[in-house]
Amino acid sequence: MKASVREIEDLCGVDSLVKIFCDLVSADTRSDPDSANVPSTVGQLRLGAQLSGIINALGFECRQDNHGVVITRVPASPGLENAPKLALIAHLDTAPDAPGSHVRPMLVKNYDGGAIELENSLVTDSSICPELPSHKGDDIIVTSGDTLLGADDKAGVAVIMQLLHDLSSDPSFRHPGLRAVFSVDEEIGKSADLIDIPSLECAYGVTIDGCEAGELDTATFNAEAALITIKGRSVHTGIAYKTMVNACEMAARFMSMLPPDEKPENTRGTEGFFHVHEMKGDASLMRIKLILRDFSEEGLSKRVALLSAIAELLNKETGGSYVSVEHYHQYSNMAKPLSEHPRIVQLCREAYKRAGIAIRELAVRGGTDGSNLSNRGLPCPNIFAGGLACHGVHECLPVKSLHSAYSAVRALIEVAAEERA
């Protein structure tokens, strides 16, 4: 099947949620892991400012703080002032893994279950996106194949924006005090540290940043990032005997010592991994960037220790200090804090039931803002937003899943309105 620009334009004319989403993906908000700025890219600031203007026009108090985070305060409906406040959180940035500018959303109408041919002749099928066949008959938003779509997490942003429109226009929509939070730099692991939790005054929250419809994430990886620096000794090849220390060769040795079965492409379920995502350099200097993931803290510590052990072994073999390891924490598993503060998970379960959505509670092979927010004191599971095959040019979004995400969050607001302090 082929996607059509005309079909998405027609749908935007009658579907406000899809229209909001398509407007959002036109902004290039990729985060930049190499930037020292906060947020890391100006596109996030621009989109946040644009949304702030729209929200203020709806009549809600909204501001963009010094970090670029957008926070909206929605007062409780009359009589619900004592209900615990709820935070709704989505992130403005998209992943740096694929181009994010000049995104051209298109629509596959009434998907037939087979391969989708993108405009640039790339093909998206079940080998790339295993969930696709289950969406037979659905309308699916894709791109030209030259960029990511941005459903991670502009689908979540769109859901919150639609809810704010509905809260503004419908006085019968009963709700507790709400905080709508649009964070920045989630994709590079910095977002949760930029959110001032005490100022939100919320008892709990949810991120709207999951994938397949029905997903409810109540556990995530523990995550570290690592930088391996290998400083070689480069000399003329003609006189290199017993003198040259080739950083490229040492980088290859380092890579060969990582467990071959513990890569993302060879692991699933609750299995952790080492993922080398960037290598740069030459014979005199090589840098290797990795991420380490494990569902247990002990397992993650062992992975960090293995990197140091490999570096020590290579240095011993070469009789120098050529290899060094730096690592830093990215996020922690949300499972423990959620088990200690289970009410928000119970409310999510009730909301899915009320919305008629079959729930699948997952230990997700990733992380969300809720990972660190939960560990910092704001219990915060993750609700699906609908995007599939995220972080690449095959990313797509079933329209039905986007609407299901809206229904789940709206039902959560209604359930939360029934809570008492």
Side-chain angles (χ1 to χ4, degrees), residues 328-349:
Y328 62 91
H329 183 72
Q330 291 184 303
Y331 56 84
S332 298
N333 192 341
M334 64 168 68
K336 183 178 179 181
L338 288 182
S339 69
E340 295 170 347
H341 303 279
R343 188 57 187 151
I344 182 58
V345 176
Q346 295 165 358
L347 293 177
C348 288
R349 291 170 181 152

Side-chain angles (χ1 to χ4, degrees), residues 160-402:
I160 295 175
M161 289 299 295
Q162 181 68 66
L163 284 162
L164 291 173
H165 278 280
D166 294 347
L167 287 163
S168 175
S169 62
D170 182 6
S172 69
F173 188 170
R174 302 277 289 170
H175 57 85
L178 300 172
R179 302 291 183 263
V181 181
F182 299 133
S183 64
V184 297
D185 286 340
E186 190 271 351
E187 296 292 359
I188 56 176
K190 298 179 179 179
S191 53
D193 293 337
L194 304 176
I195 298 174
D196 183 356
I197 293 177
S199 72
L200 298 180
E201 302 174 320
C202 288
Y204 34 53
V206 290
T207 53
I208 308 158
D209 190 21
C211 296
E212 180 68 295
E215 175 184 328
L216 176 64
D217 301 327
T218 55
T220 61
F221 274 135
N222 295 288
E224 293 272 327
L227 171 65
I228 314 302
T229 302
I230 303 173
K231 297 179 180 178
R233 183 192 299 135
S234 181
V235 298
H236 192 287
T237 52
I239 55 170
Y241 182 73
K242 300 297 184 181
T243 304
M244 177 184 286
V245 178
N246 189 332
C248 295
E249 293 283 351
M250 293 184 71
R253 289 283 318 282
F254 194 103
M255 292 275 292
S256 71
M257 294 182 190
L258 296 174
D261 293 331
E262 297 182 24
K263 303 174 183 177
E265 59 267 39
N266 295 333
T267 55
R268 59 184 176 178
T270 57
E271 298 169 333
F273 58 75
F274 300 85
H275 174 48
V276 176
H277 60 89
E278 183 177 302
M279 294 180 67
K280 289 183 178 179
D282 53 30
S284 61
L285 177 65
M286 286 290 296
R287 290 190 173 92
I288 307 172
K289 291 184 179 180
L290 303 90
I291 58 173
L292 318 177
R293 300 293 187 262
D294 206 288
F295 281 99
S296 75
E297 293 181 3
E298 179 184 7
L300 188 65
S301 296
K302 288 181 178 179
R303 294 181 187 282
V304 172
L306 178 59
L307 298 185
S308 296
I310 294 173
E312 184 178 348
L313 176 61
L314 290 175
N315 284 331
K316 185 176 181 180
E317 287 182 356
T318 54
S321 298
Y322 300 104
V323 185
S324 63
V325 178
E326 302 172 65
H327 61 89
Y328 62 91
H329 183 72
Q330 291 184 303
Y331 56 84
S332 298
N333 192 341
M334 64 168 68
K336 183 178 179 181
L338 288 182
S339 69
E340 295 170 347
H341 303 279
R343 188 57 187 151
I344 182 58
V345 176
Q346 295 165 358
L347 293 177
C348 288
R349 291 170 181 152
E350 175 59 31
Y352 279 48
K353 181 179 179 181
R354 189 172 294 191
I357 297 169
I359 190 171
R360 295 180 301 112
E361 287 192 37
L362 298 179
V364 64
R365 291 177 60 79
T368 70
D369 277 333
S371 303
N372 282 337
L373 291 174
S374 294
N375 282 279
R376 288 180 56 208
L378 181 69
C380 197
N382 187 40
I383 287 176
F384 68 94
L388 304 175
C390 298
H391 289 211
V393 297
H394 295 281
E395 185 181 14
C396 57
L397 176 64
V399 173
K400 183 178 178 181
S401 297
L402 178 62

